[in-house]
Amino acid sequence: MTYTKRLDKRKFDETRPIEAKVGVIKNADGSARFKIGNTVALAAVYGPRELYPRFMQNPEKGILRVNYNMMPFSGHGNRVRPGPNRRSKEIAMVTKNALLPVVDLSEFPNAVVDVFIELPQTDAGTRCAGICAAAMALADAGIIMKDLVSSVAVGCIDGTVVADLNYDEEAFEGIVADIPVAVLPNTGEVVLLQMDGEMSKDNMVKALELAKKVCADIYEIQKKALKEKYTVKGDKK
Amino acid sequence: MNAELRNHIIELLDKGTRLDGRSLLDYRKPVKVEYDASNSAEGSARITIGDTELIVGIKMEVSTPYPDTPDQGGLMVNTELLPLSNPEFESGPPSIEAIELSRVVDRGIRESKAIDMKKLCLIEGEKAWTVIIDICPINAAGNLFDASALGALAALKNAKFPKLGEGEVVDYSEKTDEALPLAKMPVSVTVCKIGSHFIIDPTTEEEKVIDARLTVATDEKNQLCALQKGGDYPLTIDDISKMLDIGVEKCNELRKAL
């Protein structure tokens, strides 16, 4: 069997509609909202600020802390019990690993930069949406970065490589592989890679190439959103 | 530092104004209610009061009724003071502030009998709906009490039962057209006392220097349905009477945003 037509009629390399906005949380030093289809991620950055307890401080450079949380009503079925769980802790860790290569906190010894990611509604691809929002929020907070981070889930459904799986595709009755990927858009390097499911090595390489291409498009959307916040009305571009 | 801020705020109040130029009994603008803030919830709303923004979402579950009320459904209110929404909020188990907020919102809805709990019963003593209200601030910039109560009511108004399959198993992939049986419209207004002045809709800075607060929840017939005094400063009966008058009047104003 082959997957010849996508459940929501998208092209194989087409993402769901994306909206990005920077500066959505006034209290935060930097913030962003990233919406892809029905998945919405909010990210807020606080810091650099003093880190307590003191034993956690690093006198050589500032540290990055990432928190990922689904709001209790954001899940597909039952209410998600509030508070951290194994899944959210792992996602926070891989998100941090994806962001660390681009941020430079050497000027902020003993300090912390906190990134909080919240999901008000979800339809698959939450860690990728969270990473896109977090990268924009870090830039908005004025953290020194050598690149943004762009992220999308790609996958393989019955031998067909597709971009940005939604919940129905993840749950599709067939052979499905889901691959969240994050890429540094200016070097093409991969900073997040996970996979679950079943697929061939050849398709895996194809999927990664697709992820790189899609992330390049997402990068443009992220840049546009950042520029929008810092463009004074009436300014020429 | 707070003593200086307090003196400054009181000096302004003596002149009939506040840090942001409002008069004492004005809400910030806009006061905005947007429905369907989260499509994965059974009902939801986004509330904006000035810079304060929060999302309230409702999930509905089928569970066993409590033994002392076998013919009634359940209600649960929970607040997550998300560290995303304010630099002073920390991750971890609910703080006492979050618990108080949840319980005051809970009482406003429960004690006004806004939801007909008997209509939530499916099989007496065995199965009934539980309505779970979760309050999530996005930007906590003061007066979460009033914003949360307004948001909880708006989300209840917005809620639709999910489909019920065989054996009373919930199918969350489909919603029915059936709305929650709402009998009353409780909202709350928190009146704060600072020095000899009464103000409403405090900002974060004002909240730090108030002496006492009184949260007044009323229904649309101006009946009181829940009260909560906050702060460690005593109030006279005369104070309370004045605060109730302000509360009742402003509840009616706030209800218009729905």
Side-chain angles (χ1 to χ4, degrees):
Chain A
M1 223 176 75
T2 44
Y3 189 61
T4 49
K5 209 166 206 178
R6 294 187 77 171
L7 295 173
D8 58 3
K9 302 189 176 72
R10 271 183 286 153
K11 288 182 217 147
F12 294 124
D13 61 352
E14 186 184 351
T15 66
R16 295 168 287 173
I18 298 175
E19 289 168 33
K21 196 168 184 227
V22 170
V24 293
I25 298 165
K26 212 172 170 183
N27 281 341
D29 297 309
S31 61
R33 181 177 188 272
F34 189 88
K35 181 171 194 262
I36 181 161
N38 279 324
T39 295
V40 179
L42 293 167
V45 169
Y46 287 91
R49 57 183 178 182
E50 258 184 283
L51 173 59
Y52 295 105
R54 283 185 65 174
F55 73 83
M56 284 174 72
Q57 295 180 352
N58 181 345
E60 312 224 311
K61 60 175 184 178
I63 70 160
L64 185 72
R65 266 196 308 206
V66 175
N67 190 290
Y68 165 101
N69 181 49
M70 278 174 71
M71 289 185 184
F73 44 81
S74 68
H76 253 257
N78 282 320
R79 173 175 182 257
V80 183
R81 288 189 67 168
N85 52 48
R86 288 160 61 101
R87 176 181 175 273
S88 67
K89 283 186 177 178
E90 189 209 350
I91 294 177
M93 184 199 73
V94 295
T95 300
K96 182 173 129 176
N97 289 343
L99 296 170
L100 266 178
V102 299
V103 296
D104 177 4
L105 298 177
S106 57
E107 281 182 43
F108 308 105
N110 300 324
V112 62
V113 172
D114 275 307
V115 180
F116 299 106
I117 298 166
E118 290 287 339
L119 287 304
Q121 68 176 43
T122 67
D123 183 12
T126 61
R127 72 197 67 188
C128 299
I131 289 171
C132 290
M136 288 155 64
L138 282 164
D140 181 37
I143 305 292
I144 301 167
M145 297 166 80
K146 54 180 181 196
D147 203 345
L148 273 176
V149 185
S150 307
S151 180
V152 73
V154 287
C156 188
I157 305 174
D158 284 337
T160 306
V161 173
V162 297
D164 184 32
L165 287 76
N166 63 18
Y167 182 83
D168 289 337
E169 284 184 321
E170 274 188 6
F172 187 71
E173 273 187 57
I175 300 169
V176 181
D178 176 32
I179 317 157
V181 181
V183 172
L184 307 186
N186 283 293
T187 64
E189 289 166 301
V190 174
V191 287
L192 166 83
L193 177 60
Q194 296 181 291
M195 188 278 238
D196 54 75
E198 213 178 302
M199 70 190 299
S200 68
K201 190 237 161 182
D202 285 352
N203 277 337
M204 182 72 215
V205 176
K206 266 191 221 165
L208 284 173
E209 291 298 338
L210 175 62
K212 195 175 152 187
K213 186 180 144 259
V214 173
C215 281
D217 296 339
I218 292 176
Y219 176 52
E220 294 304 320
I221 296 170
Q222 289 173 298
K223 270 200 300 191
K224 188 167 165 254
L226 279 160
K227 280 182 185 164
E228 256 163 34
K229 186 187 166 187
Y230 293 100
T231 307
V232 182
K233 264 184 197 166
D235 248 18
K236 279 183 192 163
K237 277 184 188 161
Chain B
M1 197 189 95
N2 276 358
E4 271 175 40
L5 178 65
R6 190 184 137 89
N7 289 339
H8 180 56
I9 287 176
I10 290 181
E11 273 171 34
L12 284 173
L13 293 177
D14 288 337
K15 293 181 206 151
T17 188
R18 292 161 76 168
L19 287 173
D20 54 9
R22 267 185 296 162
S23 58
L24 280 58
L25 300 180
D26 274 350
Y27 265 92
R28 287 167 289 175
K29 282 181 183 130
V31 176
K32 202 163 73 179
V33 179
E34 295 160 273
Y35 296 96
D36 293 317
S38 168
N39 70 354
S40 35
E42 270 72 73
S44 60
R46 179 194 312 276
I47 302 297
T48 312
I49 299 182
D51 283 340
T52 292
E53 181 187 337
L54 55 82
I55 299 180
V56 180
I58 288 176
K59 289 302 285 182
M60 292 200 251
E61 292 177 359
V62 171
S63 47
T64 314
Y66 288 110
D68 55 338
T69 52
D71 58 342
Q72 293 183 23
L75 172 70
M76 190 175 129
V77 181
N78 173 62
T79 309
E80 296 293 310
L81 292 180
L82 304 176
L84 156 128
S85 67
N86 189 293
E88 290 180 17
F89 293 169
E90 285 174 13
S91 310
S95 60
I96 183 61
E97 287 78 16
I99 293 168
E100 186 194 19
L101 180 55
S102 306
R103 286 184 54 85
V104 173
V105 172
D106 182 302
R107 287 213 295 278
I109 295 164
R110 194 183 297 272
E111 303 306 326
S112 67
K113 302 189 175 58
I115 307 171
D116 188 342
M117 292 296 197
K118 288 195 174 157
K119 286 191 181 155
L120 297 180
C121 184
L122 296 164
I123 305 169
E124 190 170 328
E126 285 180 32
K127 275 170 183 168
W129 288 105
T130 297
V131 177
I132 307 171
I133 303 176
D134 278 291
I135 300 161
C136 295
I138 303 298
N139 195 66
N143 201 15
L144 287 180
F145 273 91
D146 302 359
S148 300
L150 185 65
L153 181 61
L156 285 172
K157 265 186 77 174
N158 181 244
K160 296 277 187 293
F161 282 95
K163 204 177 146 193
L164 207 51
E166 225 168 278
E168 279 75 37
V169 176
V170 185
D171 175 8
Y172 286 105
S173 62
E174 264 183 77
K175 278 180 206 169
T176 63
D177 293 331
E178 199 189 335
L180 261 178
L182 268 191
K184 296 270 182 65
M185 302 281 272
V187 296
S188 79
V189 167
T190 302
V191 186
C192 303
K193 190 178 185 212
I194 167 165
S196 58
H197 299 287
F198 298 112
I199 62 167
I200 59 161
D201 192 29
T203 60
T204 312
E205 279 165 313
E206 288 169 338
E207 276 178 347
K208 283 183 180 157
V209 300
I210 57 167
D211 299 320
R213 61 176 153 81
L214 185 66
T215 302
V216 183
T218 71
D219 66 16
E220 68 280 9
K221 289 176 183 153
N222 293 341
Q223 292 297 301
L224 307 176
C225 40
L227 292 179
Q228 177 89 339
K229 177 189 172 296
D232 56 8
Y233 197 86
L235 292 172
T236 65
I237 293 178
D238 191 41
D239 285 338
I240 294 167
S241 174
K242 281 181 191 151
M243 291 164 102
L244 290 175
D245 284 341
I246 296 167
V248 171
E249 188 198 326
K250 292 290 163 180
C251 276
N252 285 323
E253 198 179 304
L254 207 53
R255 204 174 281 112
K256 286 182 192 147
L258 287 162

